Amino acid sequence: MVIALIAGVGVWFFAFRETKPAGQASPQAAAAALFADVSNGDLVGLADTFDPVESSLVTDFAGDVTKHLQRIGLLTDEATINNSTGVGISIKGVTYDESAAENPLPNLSIVKVTGGTVTIDPPAGNNSAAQTDKFRALLAALEKANLSSDFQPAVQTEPTVIDIAKVIREENNGKPLRISTVQRDGEWYPSLFYTLADYAAQQAGKTLTPADSIPAVGAASPGAAMDTLIKASLADDPESVIKILDPREMGVVHDYGRMLVDGIGRTDVPQAQVTASWTLDEVTGGTKVSLGTLEITFDGTTAKIVRDVAAGSVTVSANGEAQTFDSTAVASLLGSKDLSEIHPNLPAMVARMIKAALGLGVIATKVDGSWYIAPARTFLGTVPQLMSGMEESDIDMFLDLLKQN
């Protein structure tokens, strides 16, 4: 609950704007637009600059989290994903080496940054009308609890100035900073995913070529896509795993595919037999594929997992024995026969959070008529799914517990 709350509040503080990203006519113009938004202090506007595929991930995520924060009483109806924190960042005098630009793929260009300065001002408090009194009380309680602990983190009070040319000279062996830009529908955008992949390849001494690409091969349904992922994973077949990934969201993985497969390698492991049933639910950006039942046979032993969302339990059976995990089991793990000994509202909250956790699943997306697995959406979707189990009374309980300790 605490992890989901902190993540949710953090998402809102640094939420992205719900607008269509604006592309540029060239790779360098795309990189310059990124620096211009930051230089103007428009952190929210960065979403308008990045690859639309990456931007939509964060925009959908921030939208879902904002709705849950409103539902549990932490944000008012005025809160939207257009809100900004006004964190102070300024970038000036950025220079490029145009002659050194690399074009490993037709729609991918790497821009080289050679100089400029970055100034980061300490974040200031935010007391906008979008925050409720309960929101501010929660932040104050968390701050007080942290300051009263043995660990007291250093607080940044002075601006930090970074000289890009100095960093290049002293920490990057004189090599320019690299920003990967991608072309979508004739326009260029900076890409976080491709920039990270490019740096990983550079560290490994690899050079991306069109031959590294692994094409996407989808499935006929969300459940079939999940079956394909499980089969490929159990067979230790990374190439087939890559094929079933969303070609938009994970285009970088497809383009760097051969390089990734060569780096992972293969192991000779006995194959397990798996039979599964799935529950499908429509969610933001795709379809959530959640476990119904799962039966695994390995080395002559069969185990079965049955998920019961209504009962808030998971039952695991093997070798003639069965174990059910529910709120009672959680109470036992916490060392308390009765969770109400900790707080009267805790039993109900734990039961709801277990049901929410049981609702976790893998997000499948449909691209050009076929279904694929979307790992980034799946990862981001865990926070709003866990937050779905919270109620406003849980925040009151959390505040009570913080005051007690």
Side-chain angles (χ1 to χ4, degrees):
M1 174 181 175
V2 175
I3 292 173
L5 273 177
I6 292 174
V9 171
V11 166
W12 180 74
F13 262 132
F14 297 100
F16 281 67
R17 192 160 54 205
E18 191 174 18
T19 56
K20 184 180 183 300
Q24 303 295 327
S26 69
Q28 184 172 317
L34 169 64
F35 286 123
D37 276 332
V38 175
S39 182
N40 291 333
D42 188 8
L43 287 182
V44 177
L46 288 177
D48 300 344
T49 305
F50 273 96
D51 179 356
V53 174
E54 299 169 11
S55 176
S56 68
L57 290 173
V58 182
T59 298
D60 290 346
F61 179 42
D64 287 344
V65 167
T66 297
K67 291 176 183 177
H68 283 299
L69 291 174
Q70 290 172 324
R71 181 181 57 80
I72 61 178
L74 291 179
L75 295 180
T76 69
D77 291 339
E78 295 181 33
T80 70
I81 57 175
N82 294 310
N83 296 113
S84 174
T85 61
V87 175
I89 298 181
S90 175
I91 300 179
K92 298 180 180 180
V94 178
T95 57
Y96 309 89
D97 185 351
E98 297 184 41
S99 63
E102 298 176 15
N103 298 281
L105 301 176
N107 295 323
L108 174 65
S109 182
I110 299 168
V111 176
K112 308 292 182 65
V113 180
T114 57
T117 59
V118 180
T119 302
I120 305 173
D121 293 319
N126 189 315
N127 293 309
S128 74
Q131 302 172 11
T132 64
D133 290 340
K134 190 167 293 187
F135 182 104
R136 288 185 279 271
L138 178 62
L139 291 183
L142 287 171
E143 181 180 3
K144 183 177 180 181
N146 183 55
L147 292 177
S148 64
S149 67
D150 293 333
F151 174 69
Q152 297 187 20
V155 178
Q156 185 73 22
T157 59
E158 297 295 329
T160 299
V161 179
I162 302 172
D163 184 331
I164 295 177
K166 183 178 180 181
V167 170
I168 291 173
R169 184 173 61 253
E170 297 181 358
E171 301 179 29
N172 208 41
N173 298 319
K175 297 179 180 179
L177 303 183
R178 303 167 65 93
I179 298 178
S180 293
T181 61
V182 295
Q183 189 178 45
R184 308 284 188 193
D185 297 325
E187 295 186 318
W188 290 89
Y189 305 84
S191 167
L192 174 62
F193 289 174
Y194 276 91
T195 297
L196 293 174
D198 173 63
Y199 268 99
Q202 290 294 307
Q203 291 180 353
K206 303 286 188 178
T207 300
L208 179 66
T209 69
D212 288 306
S213 179
I214 292 179
V217 180
S221 68
M226 193 64 195
D227 289 336
T228 299
L229 178 66
I230 290 178
K231 181 179 179 180
S233 299
L234 291 174
D236 193 22
D237 183 359
E239 182 171 338
S240 293
V241 170
I242 291 173
K243 287 181 178 179
I244 199 61
L245 300 183
D246 186 326
R248 299 170 305 184
E249 174 187 305
M250 291 287 103
V252 62
V253 175
H254 287 282
D255 286 338
Y256 281 84
R258 300 293 176 192
M259 200 181 296
L260 291 170
V261 169
D262 292 343
I264 294 172
R266 298 286 296 271
T267 58
D268 186 14
V269 295
Q271 178 109 18
Q273 301 298 316
V274 176
T275 302
S277 65
W278 307 106
T279 299
L280 306 181
D281 296 288
E282 295 304 310
V283 295
T284 302
T287 298
K288 181 175 64 177
V289 185
S290 304
L291 179 66
T293 62
L294 182 70
E295 189 172 284
I296 306 173
T297 301
F298 181 77
D299 198 22
T301 300
T302 298
K304 189 174 183 179
I305 302 172
V306 179
R307 182 187 72 130
D308 188 336
V309 177
S313 66
V314 172
T315 300
V316 181
S317 57
N319 298 323
E321 299 182 358
Q323 176 68 55
T324 297
F325 298 91
D326 53 16
S327 58
T328 302
V330 172
S332 177
L333 290 172
L334 291 174
S336 172
K337 294 182 179 179
D338 186 359
L339 289 171
S340 62
E341 295 175 3
I342 300 174
H343 193 281
N345 295 344
L346 190 56
M349 187 277 290
V350 169
R352 280 186 277 102
M353 292 304 294
I354 289 177
K355 287 186 178 181
L358 289 177
L360 292 171
V362 174
I363 306 301
T365 50
K366 194 173 186 179
V367 181
D368 296 332
S370 296
W371 287 91
Y372 299 88
I373 300 300
R377 283 193 178 275
T378 298
F379 176 75
L380 293 175
T382 58
V383 172
Q385 175 60 36
L386 291 176
M387 293 185 74
S388 70
M390 296 182 191
E391 293 183 356
E392 189 168 349
S393 60
D394 298 333
I395 307 302
D396 296 324
M397 179 192 69
F398 190 48
L399 288 169
D400 288 344
L401 292 173
L402 283 172
K403 291 175 182 177
Q404 294 172 17
N405 294 290

